[in-house]
Amino acid sequence: MIYSIPKFVTNPSTDIFKSDNYLVFDFETTNLDKGDPLNENNRILLIAWKRGKAGASGVQVYPPEPAHVERFLEEVERADFVIAHNAKFEFGWLKRLGVRLEQTLPYCTQLAEYVLRSNRRGRLSLEECLRRRRLGGKESIISAMMDAGICPSEMPENWLKKYAKTDVEQTHKLFEHQRRDLFKNGLDRVFYTKCLQIPVIADIEFNGMCLDTSKVKEVYKHSVAELRAVERELDEFTGGLNPRSNKQMAEFIYDELKFAIPKDHNGNEIKTPKGERSASSVVISLLKAKTSRQKKFIQLKQRQVKLNAQVTKSLEKFNECCEQGEGILHASINQTVTTTGRYSSTGKTYKCQFQNVDRGFKRLFRARKPGWLVGEADEAQLEFRVAVWYGRDNQGLRDIQGNFDVHAFTADIIYPRERDRAVARQNAKAHTFKPLYGGTSGTPSERRYYRTFTEKYRGISKEQDKWVDEAVINKELTLPTGMKFYFPSLKVTHTGYVEGNTSVRNYPVQYLATAEIVPTALVHAWHCLKSANAESFITNTIHDSIICEIHPNERNLFVDVMSESLQDFPVKYMKRLYGIDFNIPLKAEIKTGTHWGS
């Protein structure tokens, strides 16, 4: 099937951002849930906009009356691209106004600042971006009132108009500074790619994910009962000690059970900031059990910690959503949080992240309409394929072309005595690609596997060593896309070990895999579904996967779209925009069923 996708996606060029035919705009809205466009009770109070140098004008500020809205939408349609700070928020409101997001190219000044700063921390509000560049500030009185929780609808209209006008003027100034910096530093292409994602994730957030109420209640009830049982057993085992008292638990662990105090990689005992023996869950996970009582304690504690996390971080919130929110869970997908450029997420009403759903809870999500399916499309072993490409690793390429089961290979070394090889393979997945991120520590069998990996894939190891050498010398690393990562605090110890080297080994792989390839595939898949006027829709994206709800008559469409989007399009896109010849085959793994992961 041939899809009608905008040229700014299929034939990407940052030259469009050199155009002076742009529109800077800002919405002032009511502030329920911080003005979230998903909250139907929010409304637009003012629309402010300014044309670029092509058709330049002063800032226009109007209430959202039909004639004004129509004029504003005409300006949006005329522009080559539209500019806003935190443009995903504004695009949510554009969606509510009926704008075809798939035809609109954004330029986000918040996202531009994020790309320019890369992994260097810094606040990204408009106020902070302006101050950092000495471009002035915003209207302090209105800002203070908003920070105090006062709804803009209750503020004097002339004050609010002045605030909106200033926002647009300052966003315009910031844009002009950033545009020069992006092109000067070779970051225009990275930024362009991220801008293409804005309308996609703004649209996806409206969909949310649908929970299966009956399954949620069943699992919630069972897990709470199991947690209480483990807590009672742990209470009996410790003699009724307060599990929240570090002093009591430390005395029990180190004095009664006789555990050795764990040590860090420098050989120092791990203690609390006050120098006391620690009984935190992290430290407990490092304890080495030898006696039967020690093993029993570790077993109980690990079970309690896992169940408590499942109940408090997910199941309680799932259950609340089913009882109060009709089972539709929403989250914000964030582009400007992680240091590697990949997405993160923030739960909305029920505070459940979409990026960290326990894989055992996938079965709790279903399609919201009878007869529909849930589909998931994954990039198979993506980070390994990316590392093989970086390292031009011939052995890795042979393994990929031969469909070598790298997880089974890992399991054979780490879990040779596990009779159930399927279980061994699943457990091995957490270790398979750990060497890509500089992982070297663990049990003797784990360390043996990590050594075997680096010896087998010498091309990857040599390339990563080059990254570390470059980062030590230059304190930064520039990738083939132009993306820059900064490592100002790298330090070489007297033994030759580079403190912080794991980040240097990690960032290039994780960035290209999950901040370039997967988001590019997501953009293409979304545009394809829009072009096909599909009823099916995307509900989430997690690291290397895309999740959809599928109309029963569109399963073949879903498979075709995801296959092309995950396997073919990212390779074409990287060649056209970056000049990158990504010659490692990408592979999509596609599942459909009544529930997610089924």
Side-chain angles (χ1 to χ4, degrees):
M1 182 174 180
I2 299 175
Y3 303 102
S4 178
I5 299 175
K7 288 184 179 179
F8 59 71
V9 175
T10 58
N11 191 24
S13 171
T14 61
D15 285 346
I16 195 170
F17 281 156
K18 295 178 181 178
S19 167
D20 287 330
N21 178 29
Y22 55 78
L23 184 76
V24 189
F25 75 105
D26 179 54
F27 294 124
E28 297 301 333
T29 71
T30 52
N31 67 346
L32 296 172
D33 298 328
K34 298 182 179 180
D36 192 340
L38 270 69
N39 189 322
E40 295 180 354
N41 294 317
N42 276 323
R43 69 184 193 279
I44 295 174
L45 300 173
L46 293 175
I47 305 175
W49 74 86
K50 178 183 180 181
R51 292 286 303 173
K53 293 178 182 177
S57 64
V59 178
Q60 310 293 311
V61 184
Y62 291 104
E65 297 171 1
H68 299 146
V69 171
E70 183 177 352
R71 182 183 169 194
F72 167 70
L73 296 183
E74 288 174 354
E75 297 288 353
V76 169
E77 191 171 343
R78 284 175 53 200
D80 289 336
F81 60 97
V82 296
I83 303 165
H85 196 80
N86 187 17
K88 187 187 71 168
F89 174 87
E90 313 297 337
F91 266 62
W93 282 103
L94 287 179
K95 177 180 172 68
R96 281 185 56 167
L97 290 176
V99 172
R100 293 186 63 190
L101 300 188
E102 63 270 27
Q103 298 295 331
T104 309
L105 176 63
Y107 180 113
C108 178
T109 49
Q110 184 182 71
L111 194 53
E113 196 77 0
Y114 173 75
V115 169
L116 287 164
R117 294 195 64 77
S118 185
N119 59 317
R120 297 175 294 186
R121 292 296 186 180
R123 295 180 179 178
L124 299 175
S125 67
L126 179 57
E127 180 82 13
E128 293 297 332
C129 293
L130 293 168
R131 285 180 179 174
R132 201 155 35 233
R133 293 169 180 269
R134 298 179 181 177
L135 295 176
K138 297 171 65 175
E139 287 292 320
S140 58
I141 295 177
I142 296 294
S143 295
M145 293 172 73
M146 288 184 175
D147 291 341
I150 299 173
C151 184
S153 63
E154 300 173 2
M155 300 176 188
E157 184 175 329
N158 60 325
W159 290 12
L160 194 61
K161 283 185 174 181
K162 184 179 179 182
Y163 179 83
K165 181 180 178 181
T166 301
D167 257 14
V168 169
E169 289 172 338
Q170 296 293 59
T171 299
H172 191 204
K173 283 184 184 178
L174 181 60
F175 155 73
E176 290 180 326
H177 273 246
Q178 290 175 337
R179 180 163 64 169
R180 288 194 296 268
D181 288 349
L182 287 166
F183 281 95
K184 177 182 177 181
N185 291 287
L187 290 166
D188 50 297
R189 294 170 298 173
V190 171
F191 172 65
Y192 183 92
T193 300
K194 289 188 178 297
C195 284
L196 294 184
Q197 300 160 37
I198 293 169
V200 179
I201 59 179
D203 184 59
I204 291 173
E205 287 183 6
F206 276 81
N207 296 329
M209 298 190 74
C210 181
L211 289 160
D212 187 320
T213 299
S214 61
K215 286 184 179 292
V216 167
K217 290 188 175 299
E218 177 187 344
V219 173
Y220 175 61
K221 181 179 179 181
H222 174 78
S223 297
V224 169
E226 192 174 357
L227 174 60
R228 299 296 173 253
V230 170
E231 288 175 338
R232 286 193 297 271
E233 191 173 354
L234 194 57
D235 185 63
E236 182 179 342
F237 185 86
T238 62
L241 296 179
N242 179 3
R244 294 182 177 82
S245 170
N246 183 77
K247 182 176 183 299
Q248 290 183 28
M249 292 303 296
E251 289 175 351
F252 179 77
I253 291 168
Y254 303 112
D255 297 336
E256 185 168 335
L257 294 181
K258 306 297 183 183
F259 274 106
I261 300 176
K263 297 180 180 180
D264 61 23
H265 66 277
N266 291 321
N268 300 316
E269 292 183 343
I270 302 175
K271 294 187 176 181
T272 68
K274 294 182 178 180
E276 300 170 345
R277 296 177 299 181
S278 176
S280 70
S281 58
V282 173
V283 170
I284 289 175
S285 70
L286 300 175
L287 297 174
K288 304 298 182 183
K290 297 179 180 179
T291 69
S292 58
R293 288 200 77 209
Q294 288 177 342
K295 292 176 182 178
K296 179 68 173 178
F297 173 75
I298 294 295
Q299 181 186 43
L300 287 172
K301 192 63 183 175
Q302 287 178 340
R303 187 68 182 145
Q304 184 264 331
V305 168
K306 181 179 181 179
L307 282 167
N308 185 68
Q310 289 178 337
V311 169
T312 59
K313 292 182 179 180
S314 297
L315 291 173
E316 283 182 349
K317 297 169 183 178
F318 290 173
N319 188 61
E320 186 181 357
C321 179
C322 290
E323 292 181 342
Q324 301 177 10
E326 300 179 351
I328 304 298
L329 200 64
H330 290 277
S332 175
I333 300 172
N334 309 315
Q335 285 184 284
T336 59
V337 173
T338 68
T339 54
T340 57
R342 72 195 298 180
Y343 296 149
S344 67
S345 66
T346 306
K348 290 186 180 283
T349 303
Y350 302 100
K351 308 304 179 186
C352 287
Q353 296 184 11
F354 275 4
Q355 302 296 306
N356 295 305
V357 177
D358 188 307
R359 61 180 299 109
F361 294 155
K362 285 185 176 183
R363 61 193 175 94
L364 302 182
F365 292 87
R366 62 172 176 83
R368 64 203 74 190
K369 295 182 180 180
W372 281 49
L373 300 171
V374 177
E376 180 175 19
D378 292 277
E379 288 277 15
Q381 299 180 353
L382 178 59
E383 286 159 329
F384 178 61
R385 292 168 192 261
V386 166
V388 168
W389 176 78
Y390 270 125
R392 298 171 295 282
D393 194 293
N394 293 328
Q395 181 61 55
L397 179 57
R398 285 193 293 270
D399 284 352
I400 290 169
Q401 292 173 332
N403 293 316
F404 177 72
D405 191 338
V406 67
H407 296 309
F409 170 71
T410 310
D412 289 342
I413 297 175
I414 298 181
Y415 306 111
R417 297 179 182 175
E418 172 60 60
R419 293 183 179 180
D420 190 330
R421 300 316 295 165
V423 171
R425 184 180 183 280
Q426 181 61 43
N427 292 337
K429 288 183 176 181
H431 303 279
T432 296
F433 300 124
K434 190 175 175 181
L436 296 181
Y437 312 125
T440 57
S441 61
T443 65
S445 61
E446 289 169 358
R447 293 197 299 271
R448 184 166 62 253
Y449 166 71
Y450 302 149
R451 289 193 299 271
T452 302
F453 184 97
T454 56
E455 290 168 2
K456 182 178 183 181
Y457 302 115
R458 293 182 182 276
I460 296 175
S461 301
K462 286 177 63 177
E463 183 66 16
Q464 291 187 312
D465 288 343
K466 283 172 56 180
W467 295 342
V468 174
D469 290 343
E470 181 179 340
V472 167
I473 295 170
N474 300 323
K475 302 301 182 183
E476 66 181 53
L477 191 63
T478 302
L479 304 187
T481 61
M483 184 63 178
K484 298 178 187 291
F485 287 112
Y486 300 90
F487 304 97
S489 58
L490 285 182
K491 185 169 67 175
V492 183
T493 67
H494 68 279
T495 63
Y497 177 78
V498 179
E499 293 182 351
N501 82 90
T502 54
S503 293
V504 182
R505 297 175 188 277
N506 173 10
Y507 285 9
V509 175
Q510 192 178 119
Y511 156 75
L512 188 59
T514 56
E516 283 282 345
I517 291 176
V518 174
T520 298
L522 176 71
V523 168
H524 186 261
W526 182 78
H527 277 282
C528 286
L529 292 175
K530 294 289 184 183
S531 170
N533 292 317
E535 293 188 52
S536 305
F537 54 90
I538 299 171
T539 60
N540 194 9
T541 176
I542 299 180
H543 304 325
D544 59 359
S545 66
I546 301 171
I547 302 96
C548 295
E549 290 187 27
I550 308 166
H551 186 280
N553 296 332
E554 293 178 349
R555 184 184 179 280
N556 289 341
L557 173 66
F558 168 75
V559 172
D560 290 344
V561 166
M562 291 303 160
S563 295
E564 182 178 345
S565 297
L566 290 165
Q567 294 176 167
D568 302 329
F569 184 73
V571 176
K572 295 176 183 177
Y573 182 89
M574 287 189 286
K575 182 67 174 178
R576 288 170 181 164
L577 184 64
Y578 299 116
I580 288 175
D581 183 15
F582 193 87
N583 58 355
I584 304 298
L586 298 175
K587 181 181 178 182
E589 293 182 339
I590 300 172
K591 296 179 182 178
T592 61
T594 59
H595 291 73
W596 182 15
S598 62

